[in-house]
Amino acid sequence: MNELQDLYREVILDHNRRPRNFGELEDPDRIVEGVNPLCGDRMTLYVKLDGDTVQDIRFKGTGCAISVASSSLMTEKVKGASLQESLKLFEKVHDMLTAADYDDSADLEDLDKLAALSGVREYPSRVKCASLSWHALKSALTSVDDKI
Ligand code: FES
């Protein structure tokens, strides 16, 4: 295992052990339930908006290390971002997780720690684990009428 893979593994373990933004949010503007059909694990995403900005975001639920780490990394990255930035990030992560010809070097700077999820692409059965919270995010943000 090379150094970069070690680093990615560390990021995932850390976010699984100490998930950021875990728990319920008081008075959220959006609540979205996500379920991984392959394993039945569920997560709930809470989003608080301030105009076009994701003011606060939290999640709770059960899942494997990849799913928890992905949710944690997602909330960390999206908190304080605009709706447009968050949706753009969804597209980038979706590409990273699913595109067969994805070029890792292209978005590394933007993705930052999210690049730790790139290895999941090699394991099709885990892609849904990593993308669960991202689909919930997209669903939460695109249900905001007239804001995007
Ligand atoms: Fe259930 Fe990963 S095995 S979310």
Side-chain angles (χ1 to χ4, degrees):
M1 195 177 277
N2 68 32
E3 232 171 83
L4 189 60
Q5 285 171 323
D6 275 349
L7 178 68
Y8 286 173
R9 190 170 163 271
E10 238 348 280
V11 169
I12 287 174
L13 290 176
D14 174 44
H15 278 262
N16 177 50
R17 269 194 302 258
R18 296 185 306 116
R20 315 322 189 250
N21 305 303
F22 187 83
E24 287 186 31
L25 194 60
E26 255 182 55
D27 199 22
D29 293 305
R30 294 285 179 277
I31 301 177
V32 174
E33 307 277 348
V35 61
N36 181 343
L38 297 181
C39 63
D41 284 331
R42 294 170 178 276
M43 64 94 63
T44 308
L45 188 66
Y46 304 86
V47 181
K48 179 87 185 152
L49 299 166
D50 179 11
D52 273 359
T53 302
V54 177
Q55 185 194 64
D56 208 352
I57 181 164
R58 295 179 74 83
F59 75 100
K60 70 173 193 182
T62 53
C64 62
I66 289 179
S67 132
V68 172
S70 180
S71 302
S72 173
L73 287 161
M74 181 275 284
T75 57
E76 195 176 62
K77 189 79 176 171
V78 157
K79 198 170 177 174
S82 71
L83 302 184
Q84 289 88 345
E85 287 165 343
S86 303
L87 289 170
K88 208 182 253 181
L89 203 56
F90 166 87
E91 296 298 340
K92 286 186 174 192
V93 170
H94 191 261
D95 270 5
M96 177 180 76
L97 293 174
T98 59
D101 58 349
Y102 182 74
D103 175 7
D104 275 320
S105 59
D107 290 321
L108 221 49
E109 215 167 279
D110 274 1
L111 291 173
D112 193 21
K113 280 193 269 176
L114 292 170
L117 299 168
S118 59
V120 171
R121 197 167 60 245
E122 311 295 324
Y123 306 93
S125 66
R126 309 314 295 275
V127 169
K128 284 202 189 302
C129 305
S131 62
L132 180 58
S133 61
W134 289 90
H135 284 290
L137 174 73
K138 185 178 185 189
S139 170
L141 300 187
T142 52
S143 62
V144 183
D145 297 335
D146 302 322
K147 293 210 172 172
I148 316 172

mmCIF file of all heavy atoms in Angstrom, residues 23-33 44-51 54 56-59 83 136-148:
data_model
loop_
_atom_site.group_PDB
_atom_site.id
_atom_site.type_symbol
_atom_site.label_atom_id
_atom_site.label_comp_id
_atom_site.label_asym_id
_atom_site.label_seq_id
_atom_site.Cartn_x
_atom_site.Cartn_y
_atom_site.Cartn_z
ATOM 1 N N GLY A 23 -25.551 13.685 14.416
ATOM 2 C CA GLY A 23 -26.664 13.943 15.320
ATOM 3 C C GLY A 23 -27.761 14.717 14.608
ATOM 4 O O GLY A 23 -27.673 14.988 13.412
ATOM 5 N N GLU A 24 -28.793 15.031 15.357
ATOM 6 C CA GLU A 24 -29.920 15.761 14.763
ATOM 7 C C GLU A 24 -29.661 17.256 14.792
ATOM 8 O O GLU A 24 -28.875 17.734 15.601
ATOM 9 C CB GLU A 24 -31.205 15.458 15.531
ATOM 10 C CG GLU A 24 -31.705 14.069 15.264
ATOM 11 C CD GLU A 24 -33.052 13.806 15.914
ATOM 12 O OE1 GLU A 24 -33.841 14.769 16.041
ATOM 13 O OE2 GLU A 24 -33.295 12.660 16.300
ATOM 14 N N LEU A 25 -30.370 17.957 13.914
ATOM 15 C CA LEU A 25 -30.272 19.409 13.865
ATOM 16 C C LEU A 25 -31.617 19.968 14.320
ATOM 17 O O LEU A 25 -32.663 19.505 13.875
ATOM 18 C CB LEU A 25 -29.985 19.814 12.416
ATOM 19 C CG LEU A 25 -29.518 21.222 12.127
ATOM 20 C CD1 LEU A 25 -28.208 21.510 12.846
ATOM 21 C CD2 LEU A 25 -29.304 21.367 10.614
ATOM 22 N N GLU A 26 -31.541 20.951 15.181
ATOM 23 C CA GLU A 26 -32.786 21.581 15.634
ATOM 24 C C GLU A 26 -33.333 22.478 14.540
ATOM 25 O O GLU A 26 -32.591 23.234 13.935
ATOM 26 C CB GLU A 26 -32.505 22.426 16.875
ATOM 27 C CG GLU A 26 -33.007 21.787 18.145
ATOM 28 C CD GLU A 26 -32.756 22.651 19.352
ATOM 29 O OE1 GLU A 26 -33.183 23.808 19.350
ATOM 30 O OE2 GLU A 26 -32.091 22.132 20.262
ATOM 31 N N ASP A 27 -34.618 22.368 14.285
ATOM 32 C CA ASP A 27 -35.275 23.269 13.357
ATOM 33 C C ASP A 27 -34.660 23.281 11.944
ATOM 34 O O ASP A 27 -34.337 24.354 11.403
ATOM 35 C CB ASP A 27 -35.202 24.690 13.971
ATOM 36 C CG ASP A 27 -36.233 25.597 13.340
ATOM 37 O OD1 ASP A 27 -37.225 25.084 12.794
ATOM 38 O OD2 ASP A 27 -36.014 26.822 13.366
ATOM 39 N N PRO A 28 -34.468 22.114 11.340
ATOM 40 C CA PRO A 28 -33.877 22.081 9.992
ATOM 41 C C PRO A 28 -34.886 22.543 8.928
ATOM 42 O O PRO A 28 -36.100 22.440 9.134
ATOM 43 C CB PRO A 28 -33.550 20.601 9.799
ATOM 44 C CG PRO A 28 -34.541 19.890 10.650
ATOM 45 C CD PRO A 28 -34.847 20.792 11.814
ATOM 46 N N ASP A 29 -34.368 23.031 7.815
ATOM 47 C CA ASP A 29 -35.244 23.381 6.686
ATOM 48 C C ASP A 29 -35.538 22.161 5.823
ATOM 49 O O ASP A 29 -36.537 22.128 5.119
ATOM 50 C CB ASP A 29 -34.573 24.463 5.824
ATOM 51 C CG ASP A 29 -34.456 25.765 6.569
ATOM 52 O OD1 ASP A 29 -35.491 26.264 7.039
ATOM 53 O OD2 ASP A 29 -33.327 26.269 6.721
ATOM 54 N N ARG A 30 -34.625 21.207 5.828
ATOM 55 C CA ARG A 30 -34.821 19.985 5.041
ATOM 56 C C ARG A 30 -34.410 18.773 5.873
ATOM 57 O O ARG A 30 -33.386 18.806 6.562
ATOM 58 C CB ARG A 30 -33.948 19.996 3.779
ATOM 59 C CG ARG A 30 -34.317 21.058 2.779
ATOM 60 C CD ARG A 30 -35.594 20.684 2.029
ATOM 61 N NE ARG A 30 -35.995 21.699 1.074
ATOM 62 C CZ ARG A 30 -36.700 22.783 1.385
ATOM 63 N NH1 ARG A 30 -37.078 23.011 2.608
ATOM 64 N NH2 ARG A 30 -37.028 23.655 0.449
ATOM 65 N N ILE A 31 -35.209 17.721 5.765
ATOM 66 C CA ILE A 31 -34.834 16.433 6.357
ATOM 67 C C ILE A 31 -34.993 15.399 5.239
ATOM 68 O O ILE A 31 -36.066 15.320 4.622
ATOM 69 C CB ILE A 31 -35.766 16.028 7.523
ATOM 70 C CG1 ILE A 31 -35.728 17.086 8.621
ATOM 71 C CG2 ILE A 31 -35.345 14.671 8.095
ATOM 72 C CD1 ILE A 31 -36.678 16.794 9.789
ATOM 73 N N VAL A 32 -33.937 14.665 4.972
ATOM 74 C CA VAL A 32 -34.007 13.651 3.908
ATOM 75 C C VAL A 32 -33.535 12.314 4.466
ATOM 76 O O VAL A 32 -32.510 12.246 5.150
ATOM 77 C CB VAL A 32 -33.126 14.060 2.696
ATOM 78 C CG1 VAL A 32 -33.078 12.949 1.667
ATOM 79 C CG2 VAL A 32 -33.656 15.329 2.064
ATOM 80 N N GLU A 33 -34.303 11.285 4.172
ATOM 81 C CA GLU A 33 -33.929 9.924 4.573
ATOM 82 C C GLU A 33 -33.259 9.250 3.379
ATOM 83 O O GLU A 33 -33.759 9.343 2.263
ATOM 84 C CB GLU A 33 -35.179 9.094 4.912
ATOM 85 C CG GLU A 33 -36.111 9.717 5.932
ATOM 86 C CD GLU A 33 -35.675 9.468 7.362
ATOM 87 O OE1 GLU A 33 -34.776 8.619 7.570
ATOM 88 O OE2 GLU A 33 -36.213 10.143 8.250
ATOM 89 N N THR A 44 -30.173 9.735 7.990
ATOM 90 C CA THR A 44 -31.045 10.893 7.893
ATOM 91 C C THR A 44 -30.161 12.132 7.834
ATOM 92 O O THR A 44 -29.227 12.271 8.630
ATOM 93 C CB THR A 44 -31.972 10.993 9.125
ATOM 94 O OG1 THR A 44 -32.636 9.739 9.302
ATOM 95 C CG2 THR A 44 -33.014 12.079 8.930
ATOM 96 N N LEU A 45 -30.479 12.993 6.884
ATOM 97 C CA LEU A 45 -29.702 14.218 6.702
ATOM 98 C C LEU A 45 -30.569 15.420 7.075
ATOM 99 O O LEU A 45 -31.734 15.507 6.666
ATOM 100 C CB LEU A 45 -29.268 14.314 5.231
ATOM 101 C CG LEU A 45 -28.290 15.424 4.888
ATOM 102 C CD1 LEU A 45 -26.932 15.196 5.554
ATOM 103 C CD2 LEU A 45 -28.128 15.526 3.378
ATOM 104 N N TYR A 46 -29.996 16.318 7.853
ATOM 105 C CA TYR A 46 -30.691 17.533 8.292
ATOM 106 C C TYR A 46 -29.941 18.737 7.725
ATOM 107 O O TYR A 46 -28.719 18.825 7.890
ATOM 108 C CB TYR A 46 -30.687 17.640 9.820
ATOM 109 C CG TYR A 46 -31.278 16.435 10.513
ATOM 110 C CD1 TYR A 46 -30.484 15.327 10.802
ATOM 111 C CD2 TYR A 46 -32.622 16.409 10.879
ATOM 112 C CE1 TYR A 46 -31.011 14.211 11.433
ATOM 113 C CE2 TYR A 46 -33.159 15.297 11.517
ATOM 114 C CZ TYR A 46 -32.346 14.210 11.788
ATOM 115 O OH TYR A 46 -32.877 13.110 12.408
ATOM 116 N N VAL A 47 -30.668 19.633 7.102
ATOM 117 C CA VAL A 47 -30.023 20.794 6.491
ATOM 118 C C VAL A 47 -30.722 22.075 6.939
ATOM 119 O O VAL A 47 -31.952 22.177 6.900
ATOM 120 C CB VAL A 47 -30.071 20.716 4.942
ATOM 121 C CG1 VAL A 47 -29.376 21.920 4.324
ATOM 122 C CG2 VAL A 47 -29.448 19.426 4.438
ATOM 123 N N LYS A 48 -29.908 23.029 7.362
ATOM 124 C CA LYS A 48 -30.416 24.357 7.721
ATOM 125 C C LYS A 48 -29.848 25.348 6.722
ATOM 126 O O LYS A 48 -28.622 25.383 6.510
ATOM 127 C CB LYS A 48 -29.953 24.703 9.154
ATOM 128 C CG LYS A 48 -30.394 26.043 9.630
ATOM 129 C CD LYS A 48 -31.773 25.945 10.259
ATOM 130 C CE LYS A 48 -32.298 27.325 10.631
ATOM 131 N NZ LYS A 48 -33.755 27.366 10.602
ATOM 132 N N LEU A 49 -30.717 26.111 6.085
ATOM 133 C CA LEU A 49 -30.276 27.048 5.054
ATOM 134 C C LEU A 49 -30.347 28.487 5.544
ATOM 135 O O LEU A 49 -31.195 28.824 6.383
ATOM 136 C CB LEU A 49 -31.167 26.899 3.818
ATOM 137 C CG LEU A 49 -31.137 25.527 3.159
ATOM 138 C CD1 LEU A 49 -32.289 25.395 2.178
ATOM 139 C CD2 LEU A 49 -29.807 25.280 2.474
ATOM 140 N N ASP A 50 -29.459 29.285 4.985
ATOM 141 C CA ASP A 50 -29.531 30.719 5.203
ATOM 142 C C ASP A 50 -29.459 31.333 3.808
ATOM 143 O O ASP A 50 -28.368 31.476 3.253
ATOM 144 C CB ASP A 50 -28.356 31.181 6.080
ATOM 145 C CG ASP A 50 -28.380 32.678 6.298
ATOM 146 O OD1 ASP A 50 -29.388 33.325 5.967
ATOM 147 O OD2 ASP A 50 -27.366 33.207 6.800
ATOM 148 N N GLY A 51 -30.581 31.645 3.222
ATOM 149 C CA GLY A 51 -30.598 32.077 1.824
ATOM 150 C C GLY A 51 -30.075 30.966 0.943
ATOM 151 O O GLY A 51 -30.593 29.853 0.970
ATOM 152 N N VAL A 54 -25.650 26.782 2.781
ATOM 153 C CA VAL A 54 -25.890 25.692 3.734
ATOM 154 C C VAL A 54 -25.315 26.156 5.072
ATOM 155 O O VAL A 54 -24.109 26.079 5.299
ATOM 156 C CB VAL A 54 -25.210 24.377 3.273
ATOM 157 C CG1 VAL A 54 -25.421 23.283 4.307
ATOM 158 C CG2 VAL A 54 -25.732 23.956 1.913
ATOM 159 N N ASP A 56 -26.019 25.045 8.189
ATOM 160 C CA ASP A 56 -25.647 23.946 9.068
ATOM 161 C C ASP A 56 -26.157 22.638 8.470
ATOM 162 O O ASP A 56 -27.155 22.625 7.739
ATOM 163 C CB ASP A 56 -26.248 24.153 10.469
ATOM 164 C CG ASP A 56 -25.402 23.495 11.548
ATOM 165 O OD1 ASP A 56 -24.458 22.757 11.194
ATOM 166 O OD2 ASP A 56 -25.689 23.700 12.730
ATOM 167 N N ILE A 57 -25.472 21.569 8.774
ATOM 168 C CA ILE A 57 -25.854 20.263 8.212
ATOM 169 C C ILE A 57 -25.379 19.178 9.171
ATOM 170 O O ILE A 57 -24.268 19.246 9.685
ATOM 171 C CB ILE A 57 -25.270 20.098 6.777
ATOM 172 C CG1 ILE A 57 -25.683 18.760 6.161
ATOM 173 C CG2 ILE A 57 -23.763 20.264 6.746
ATOM 174 C CD1 ILE A 57 -25.468 18.708 4.646
ATOM 175 N N ARG A 58 -26.252 18.227 9.440
ATOM 176 C CA ARG A 58 -25.898 17.128 10.339
ATOM 177 C C ARG A 58 -26.509 15.840 9.809
ATOM 178 O O ARG A 58 -27.408 15.868 8.965
ATOM 179 C CB ARG A 58 -26.403 17.403 11.763
ATOM 180 C CG ARG A 58 -25.731 18.605 12.406
ATOM 181 C CD ARG A 58 -26.253 18.890 13.797
ATOM 182 N NE ARG A 58 -25.794 17.955 14.810
ATOM 183 C CZ ARG A 58 -24.631 18.033 15.442
ATOM 184 N NH1 ARG A 58 -23.798 19.011 15.177
ATOM 185 N NH2 ARG A 58 -24.292 17.151 16.353
ATOM 186 N N PHE A 59 -26.037 14.732 10.315
ATOM 187 C CA PHE A 59 -26.599 13.452 9.885
ATOM 188 C C PHE A 59 -26.610 12.478 11.044
ATOM 189 O O PHE A 59 -25.873 12.624 12.022
ATOM 190 C CB PHE A 59 -25.781 12.856 8.716
ATOM 191 C CG PHE A 59 -24.465 12.266 9.137
ATOM 192 C CD1 PHE A 59 -24.319 10.885 9.309
ATOM 193 C CD2 PHE A 59 -23.358 13.075 9.384
ATOM 194 C CE1 PHE A 59 -23.110 10.325 9.698
ATOM 195 C CE2 PHE A 59 -22.141 12.526 9.780
ATOM 196 C CZ PHE A 59 -22.013 11.157 9.937
ATOM 197 N N LEU A 83 -25.480 26.698 -2.319
ATOM 198 C CA LEU A 83 -26.209 25.564 -2.912
ATOM 199 C C LEU A 83 -25.531 25.134 -4.213
ATOM 200 O O LEU A 83 -25.361 23.944 -4.473
ATOM 201 C CB LEU A 83 -27.664 25.944 -3.183
ATOM 202 C CG LEU A 83 -28.492 26.411 -1.988
ATOM 203 C CD1 LEU A 83 -29.926 26.663 -2.396
ATOM 204 C CD2 LEU A 83 -28.441 25.393 -0.861
ATOM 205 N N ALA A 136 -28.597 11.962 -0.731
ATOM 206 C CA ALA A 136 -29.497 12.633 0.225
ATOM 207 C C ALA A 136 -29.280 14.146 0.159
ATOM 208 O O ALA A 136 -30.234 14.933 0.192
ATOM 209 C CB ALA A 136 -29.240 12.113 1.641
ATOM 210 N N LEU A 137 -28.013 14.544 0.047
ATOM 211 C CA LEU A 137 -27.695 15.971 -0.060
ATOM 212 C C LEU A 137 -28.341 16.572 -1.311
ATOM 213 O O LEU A 137 -28.994 17.620 -1.242
ATOM 214 C CB LEU A 137 -26.174 16.168 -0.140
ATOM 215 C CG LEU A 137 -25.727 17.605 -0.408
ATOM 216 C CD1 LEU A 137 -25.937 18.480 0.825
ATOM 217 C CD2 LEU A 137 -24.264 17.657 -0.844
ATOM 218 N N LYS A 138 -28.164 15.902 -2.433
ATOM 219 C CA LYS A 138 -28.724 16.425 -3.680
ATOM 220 C C LYS A 138 -30.236 16.564 -3.556
ATOM 221 O O LYS A 138 -30.827 17.566 -3.948
ATOM 222 C CB LYS A 138 -28.368 15.513 -4.858
ATOM 223 C CG LYS A 138 -28.822 16.100 -6.172
ATOM 224 C CD LYS A 138 -28.437 15.260 -7.340
ATOM 225 C CE LYS A 138 -28.828 15.989 -8.633
ATOM 226 N NZ LYS A 138 -28.668 15.119 -9.795
ATOM 227 N N SER A 139 -30.838 15.550 -3.001
ATOM 228 C CA SER A 139 -32.283 15.565 -2.839
ATOM 229 C C SER A 139 -32.712 16.723 -1.924
ATOM 230 O O SER A 139 -33.685 17.424 -2.205
ATOM 231 C CB SER A 139 -32.695 14.201 -2.285
ATOM 232 O OG SER A 139 -33.990 14.212 -1.914
ATOM 233 N N ALA A 140 -31.975 16.950 -0.856
ATOM 234 C CA ALA A 140 -32.310 18.041 0.076
ATOM 235 C C ALA A 140 -32.169 19.395 -0.606
ATOM 236 O O ALA A 140 -33.019 20.270 -0.420
ATOM 237 C CB ALA A 140 -31.404 17.980 1.303
ATOM 238 N N LEU A 141 -31.123 19.555 -1.384
ATOM 239 C CA LEU A 141 -30.860 20.874 -1.957
ATOM 240 C C LEU A 141 -31.699 21.165 -3.184
ATOM 241 O O LEU A 141 -32.022 22.322 -3.462
ATOM 242 C CB LEU A 141 -29.375 21.037 -2.288
ATOM 243 C CG LEU A 141 -28.420 20.917 -1.104
ATOM 244 C CD1 LEU A 141 -27.005 21.264 -1.516
ATOM 245 C CD2 LEU A 141 -28.851 21.793 0.064
ATOM 246 N N THR A 142 -32.049 20.148 -3.933
ATOM 247 C CA THR A 142 -32.833 20.405 -5.132
ATOM 248 C C THR A 142 -34.317 20.516 -4.823
ATOM 249 O O THR A 142 -35.108 20.844 -5.686
ATOM 250 C CB THR A 142 -32.606 19.332 -6.232
ATOM 251 O OG1 THR A 142 -32.806 18.055 -5.638
ATOM 252 C CG2 THR A 142 -31.218 19.423 -6.806
ATOM 253 N N SER A 143 -34.669 20.278 -3.574
ATOM 254 C CA SER A 143 -36.081 20.482 -3.219
ATOM 255 C C SER A 143 -36.299 21.912 -2.724
ATOM 256 O O SER A 143 -37.361 22.274 -2.277
ATOM 257 C CB SER A 143 -36.516 19.476 -2.136
ATOM 258 O OG SER A 143 -35.766 19.675 -0.972
ATOM 259 N N VAL A 144 -35.237 22.729 -2.842
ATOM 260 C CA VAL A 144 -35.364 24.137 -2.466
ATOM 261 C C VAL A 144 -35.791 24.901 -3.707
ATOM 262 O O VAL A 144 -34.988 25.145 -4.600
ATOM 263 C CB VAL A 144 -34.016 24.700 -1.970
ATOM 264 C CG1 VAL A 144 -34.171 26.134 -1.521
ATOM 265 C CG2 VAL A 144 -33.486 23.851 -0.835
ATOM 266 N N ASP A 145 -37.033 25.244 -3.787
ATOM 267 C CA ASP A 145 -37.563 25.881 -4.994
ATOM 268 C C ASP A 145 -36.961 27.247 -5.256
ATOM 269 O O ASP A 145 -36.734 28.027 -4.345
ATOM 270 C CB ASP A 145 -39.089 26.051 -4.878
ATOM 271 C CG ASP A 145 -39.759 24.706 -4.783
ATOM 272 O OD1 ASP A 145 -39.176 23.732 -5.268
ATOM 273 O OD2 ASP A 145 -40.860 24.645 -4.207
ATOM 274 N N ASP A 146 -36.745 27.515 -6.511
ATOM 275 C CA ASP A 146 -36.345 28.855 -6.977
ATOM 276 C C ASP A 146 -35.047 29.370 -6.366
ATOM 277 O O ASP A 146 -34.820 30.559 -6.342
ATOM 278 C CB ASP A 146 -37.449 29.892 -6.680
ATOM 279 C CG ASP A 146 -38.752 29.517 -7.308
ATOM 280 O OD1 ASP A 146 -38.718 29.001 -8.435
ATOM 281 O OD2 ASP A 146 -39.779 29.696 -6.673
ATOM 282 N N LYS A 147 -34.235 28.485 -5.852
ATOM 283 C CA LYS A 147 -33.011 28.998 -5.239
ATOM 284 C C LYS A 147 -31.771 28.608 -6.025
ATOM 285 O O LYS A 147 -30.693 29.079 -5.729
ATOM 286 C CB LYS A 147 -32.895 28.495 -3.800
ATOM 287 C CG LYS A 147 -33.967 29.079 -2.911
ATOM 288 C CD LYS A 147 -33.497 29.198 -1.503
ATOM 289 C CE LYS A 147 -34.506 29.959 -0.683
ATOM 290 N NZ LYS A 147 -34.191 29.952 0.718
ATOM 291 N N ILE A 148 -31.922 27.737 -6.995
ATOM 292 C CA ILE A 148 -30.741 27.302 -7.725
ATOM 293 C C ILE A 148 -30.871 27.687 -9.190
ATOM 294 O O ILE A 148 -31.939 27.586 -9.724
ATOM 295 C CB ILE A 148 -30.555 25.781 -7.610
ATOM 296 C CG1 ILE A 148 -30.786 25.362 -6.164
ATOM 297 C CG2 ILE A 148 -29.139 25.403 -7.974
ATOM 298 C CD1 ILE A 148 -30.825 23.892 -5.976
#
